[in-house]
Amino acid sequence: MAQNNRWGGRFVVEDMSPSAIVTPEDFTDEQRMIADAARAFLVGEIRPRDAEIEALDYKLTVELMQKAGDLGLLGADVPEAYGGLGLDKVSSTLLAETLSEASSFALSVGAHVGIGTLPIVFFGSQAQKEKYLPDLATGKKIAAYCLTEPASGSDALGARTTARLTPDGKHYILNGSKLYITNSGFADLFIVYAKVNGDHFTAFIVERGLPGFSIGPEEHKMGIKGSSTCPIFFDDTPVPAGNVLGEVGKGHIIAFNILNIGRFKLAAACVGGAKETIGLAVKYANTRKQFGRAIASFPLIGAKLADMNIATYVLESMVYRTAGWIDEMLKETESAGSDEGADPGAIAAKAISEYALECSINKVFATEVLDYVADEGVQIHGGYGYIKDYKVERIYRDSRINRIFEGTNEINRMLIPGTLMKKALKGELPLLRKARALQAELLQPMPLPLFDEPLSKETFRIQQGKKIFLAVGGMAVQKYGLALEQQQEVLCLLADMMIQVFAMESANLRTRKMLLRGDSASAAATQNAIDMTVVFVQEAMERIERYAKTTLAALEEGDALQTQLAVMKKLTRSPLVDTISLKRGIAARVIRSQQYTL
């Protein structure tokens, strides 16, 4: 992948080359071998004991996690110096996607290797890394992440758990509670956030078994029933002062950046979940007969399968594009840090925060795609989809939590435009300059270009989408100024426009990269990718136009509104696409392959 120069947020104002992104077609043999190892573990160890795992067997889950650790499946993100594999983020993303079929067990693993282990990987001291990471990489010890409290969910900094340093300076005394803690029933290490002296938000590494540290009963959940979720309590719990993670008062840096990675890892798992659901749905549709024929032969069922496949292709493109960027940024900042002797935690925070906006975009889009795909999977199964004997019923229940995990989708939608504006105000993005240039461009004639190359129209339409966002977003800033952050409905609409732009562009860049390869052996896959990209761009632009009109109606009225709607019409001109025909072709390929199909 070509080196990029901090692309965070730039997709709304700049175009990029297909060569500057990582796609699934770029996976190396080593990366594919890692995925194969995970798949073999899934088939050989998880599926045969699926019912026991789902019944919440602590002992079995820990045993299987230790087996996964022995295979290296828990150490992808842990540096080799501490017993891990030290893999790149594309590899660990592929691992998360592959293991997602393990349902609740995948969540237990994901919480352990992600938000449980990464705080120590990125922000731990040398002593903390040496003490804890080898055991976490092998599964000898299991980790949990403790942020949410009964009175503070989305408002993480409103935590009430306190920490007080003892007079001898050897311990912090923790008091308070945490809620909905994944892996808490059997975890050995807990990343806990508390306010030192009731004010300084700080992260701690807390070991199980400390005096005054207790675990509450299991929550009775709608889904993910095979994962442990309990409250935890601290009653004058003494935590060694050496177990402060990072610096006192700097816990927010750890919390927010680990949440960014958690959001991204969740998106990767959603890719795997969507692919599994498509496979279940199309196999059922090929065997279920009504009116004397398989229901897969009915166009409306085919349309569902096509839409499910398209959404998953787009999501997959977004996730690996982002993984490649994070890899590049980590390498760049680590190299600079080693030269300058910078703090490793500061280096990691800088790298991760660069793509905070994209992590939120991935999280929102992914969780809503999986919800959609799961819902359609149940619909294709009909009444059988409502019966627990069919896995699609569990996928439907399990998927619902994803829109709440790692910051609700509402919070993430608020973060997306907010983060963009912060980057612009810091001078990291030419957002305002681009918006002003667009105002001058809108006064000129805007004839349609010739669309004589594959995806040339789609590339043009994505540029239109960016201009619509800049035009509408610029008007919102002009009207509300700093008060824009209080206009949650407008911010949500701006976020949705950005999400659609990023999604369109990710699929388009990936497909164009396939075209540039010109591999005759993959001509059929390339054509399918072209068809899916064409359909998605057409429908995404329709959504963007709807979001923009809703926003304009909130910003203007009367003649001013009509003027802006005329501008909008100018920015959305394009030939229509026969999406029905294209979807029939896509559906036919899915039905033949009986799985997610590229």
Side-chain angles (χ1 to χ4, degrees):
M1 187 180 87
Q3 177 90 10
N4 70 62
N5 185 23
R6 301 180 183 176
W7 275 100
R10 286 184 175 266
F11 69 91
V12 296
V13 293
E14 296 181 15
D15 300 324
M16 66 187 306
S17 166
S19 64
I21 68 164
V22 165
T23 73
E25 292 71 46
D26 299 318
F27 291 159
T28 64
D29 289 341
E30 182 182 4
Q31 288 167 337
R32 295 182 191 280
M33 286 174 61
I34 291 166
D36 289 342
R39 197 168 292 110
F41 176 74
L42 180 70
V43 172
E45 298 286 351
I46 303 302
R47 286 182 184 168
R49 312 195 73 174
D50 179 71
E52 296 171 76
I53 295 170
E54 193 67 3
L56 190 52
D57 184 329
Y58 285 178
K59 183 179 178 181
L60 176 60
T61 297
V62 171
E63 174 190 319
L64 290 171
M65 288 183 75
Q66 289 172 346
K67 285 186 178 181
D70 291 340
L71 293 171
L73 300 180
L74 303 184
D77 291 307
V78 176
E80 291 182 85
Y82 305 106
L85 299 180
L87 300 180
D88 56 85
K89 289 297 169 282
V90 172
S91 296
S92 62
T93 300
L94 181 57
L95 195 55
E97 176 195 329
T98 306
L99 285 174
S100 65
E101 285 190 34
S103 302
S104 296
F105 181 77
L107 176 62
S108 300
V109 169
H112 168 73
V113 302
I115 55 178
T117 299
L118 289 180
I120 302 176
V121 170
F122 289 132
F123 300 99
S125 66
Q126 186 69 26
Q128 289 168 346
K129 290 177 181 180
E130 290 174 354
K131 181 178 181 180
Y132 295 117
L133 290 182
D135 286 346
L136 293 173
T138 60
K140 187 175 180 181
K141 291 188 183 297
I142 307 300
Y145 186 79
C146 313
L147 181 62
T148 301
E149 296 189 5
S152 62
S154 297
D155 181 16
L157 297 183
R160 296 181 182 178
T161 298
T162 61
R164 173 177 48 82
L165 187 64
T166 56
D168 61 9
K170 293 183 178 180
H171 294 85
Y172 281 91
I173 306 301
L174 268 60
N175 282 283
S177 63
K178 299 291 179 177
L179 193 64
Y180 307 139
I181 306 306
T182 301
N183 289 351
S184 50
F186 48 77
D188 305 287
L189 295 177
F190 299 77
I191 305 299
V192 178
Y193 294 88
K195 288 184 174 178
V196 174
N197 299 328
D199 188 34
H200 304 290
F201 194 71
T202 304
F204 296 86
I205 303 171
V206 180
E207 297 187 27
R208 192 185 192 93
L210 290 176
F213 179 24
S214 59
I215 313 293
E218 284 288 341
E219 303 287 359
H220 299 289
K221 307 186 294 286
M222 177 193 297
I224 53 172
K225 292 180 179 293
S227 65
S228 172
T229 308
C230 309
I232 64 174
F233 304 94
F234 305 99
D235 184 7
D236 286 340
T237 301
V239 177
N243 279 29
V244 169
L245 189 59
E247 299 178 39
V248 171
K250 299 292 183 65
H252 63 285
I253 296 174
I254 300 173
F256 293 155
N257 282 292
I258 293 303
L259 280 175
N260 287 331
I261 290 292
R263 288 161 184 159
F264 174 70
K265 292 262 188 178
L266 179 57
C270 287
V271 174
K275 288 181 179 180
E276 181 186 15
T277 307
I278 291 169
L280 293 171
V282 68
K283 286 169 185 170
Y284 179 85
N286 274 331
T287 56
R288 174 66 168 169
K289 291 188 176 181
Q290 293 289 279
F291 307 104
R293 53 198 267 205
I295 64 171
S297 67
F298 294 112
L300 287 184
I301 298 298
K304 290 181 184 297
L305 293 169
D307 282 331
M308 294 157 73
N309 206 78
I310 291 166
T312 304
Y313 174 76
V314 174
L315 171 58
E316 184 181 43
S317 305
M318 295 165 66
V319 164
Y320 288 101
R321 175 189 188 181
T322 307
W325 281 357
I326 293 174
D327 264 337
E328 289 293 319
M329 194 64 191
L330 282 169
K331 290 174 185 174
E332 179 184 327
T333 52
E334 286 170 2
S335 175
S338 63
D339 294 339
E340 301 166 7
D343 171 53
I347 293 170
K350 182 179 180 182
I352 298 167
S353 63
E354 175 65 25
Y355 296 110
L357 185 158
E358 285 79 8
C359 288
S360 287
I361 285 176
N362 274 273
K363 192 271 183 182
V364 172
F365 189 85
T367 57
E368 293 178 3
V369 162
L370 181 55
D371 255 7
Y372 163 75
V373 170
D375 185 77
E376 290 290 58
V378 170
Q379 192 70 15
I380 289 170
H381 279 74
Y384 289 102
Y386 211 67
I387 304 301
K388 287 189 177 182
D389 290 346
Y390 290 78
K391 192 178 180 184
V392 72
E393 180 269 346
R394 188 202 305 178
I395 292 172
Y396 180 84
R397 285 186 291 103
D398 287 355
S399 72
R400 186 58 186 86
I401 188 61
N402 295 329
R403 286 160 49 202
I404 300 170
F405 270 160
E406 314 296 356
T408 66
N409 283 15
E410 290 75 18
I411 288 293
N412 276 281
R413 278 186 162 91
M414 297 287 288
L415 288 172
I416 291 166
T419 303
L420 185 76
M421 287 304 300
K422 287 176 183 176
K423 290 177 75 71
L425 292 173
K426 290 179 182 177
E428 297 175 5
L429 284 175
L431 189 66
L432 300 179
R433 176 169 59 81
K434 291 282 187 176
R436 286 194 294 268
L438 177 61
Q439 293 300 318
E441 182 182 345
L442 291 174
L443 298 175
Q444 306 300 319
M446 300 176 71
L448 290 176
L450 292 174
F451 302 124
D452 52 0
E453 296 289 337
L455 298 180
S456 58
K457 179 171 68 66
E458 284 62 44
T459 302
F460 173 76
R461 297 229 70 189
I462 292 165
Q463 293 167 350
Q464 286 181 317
K466 295 180 182 185
K467 290 175 181 178
I468 291 171
F469 170 77
L470 285 173
V472 176
M475 287 181 61
V477 171
Q478 287 177 355
K479 177 167 183 175
Y480 294 114
L482 294 177
L484 178 58
E485 65 180 19
Q486 305 301 321
Q487 302 298 318
Q488 294 191 352
E489 301 94 335
V490 171
L491 285 175
C492 178
L493 289 162
L494 293 174
D496 283 334
M497 284 186 248
M498 291 175 66
I499 291 168
Q500 294 300 315
V501 166
F502 189 75
M504 287 191 296
E505 187 174 64
S506 297
N508 186 55
L509 288 170
R510 177 183 178 183
T511 308
R512 285 167 57 199
K513 193 171 187 179
M514 293 172 69
L515 279 165
L516 289 171
R517 283 194 176 95
D519 185 357
S520 59
S522 60
T526 301
Q527 186 57 56
N528 197 41
I530 291 171
D531 291 348
M532 290 192 289
T533 303
V534 169
V535 171
F536 185 80
V537 169
Q538 170 70 37
E539 295 182 344
M541 283 300 297
E542 291 170 359
R543 288 188 285 271
I544 287 175
E545 184 176 1
R546 184 171 73 250
Y547 302 148
K549 286 181 177 179
T550 303
T551 307
L552 288 174
L555 299 175
E556 300 284 7
E557 58 184 356
D559 291 342
L561 174 58
Q562 294 307 311
T563 299
Q564 293 303 326
L565 290 174
V567 171
M568 188 60 50
K569 186 175 182 180
K570 192 176 186 180
L571 284 173
T572 54
R573 291 175 58 230
S574 179
L576 277 176
V577 173
D578 178 5
T579 57
I580 291 177
S581 295
L582 289 176
K583 286 184 185 182
R584 285 186 174 180
I586 296 164
R589 296 170 193 129
V590 176
I591 291 165
R592 283 197 301 271
S593 69
Q594 298 208 92
Q595 61 184 356
Y596 165 74
T597 303
L598 179 52

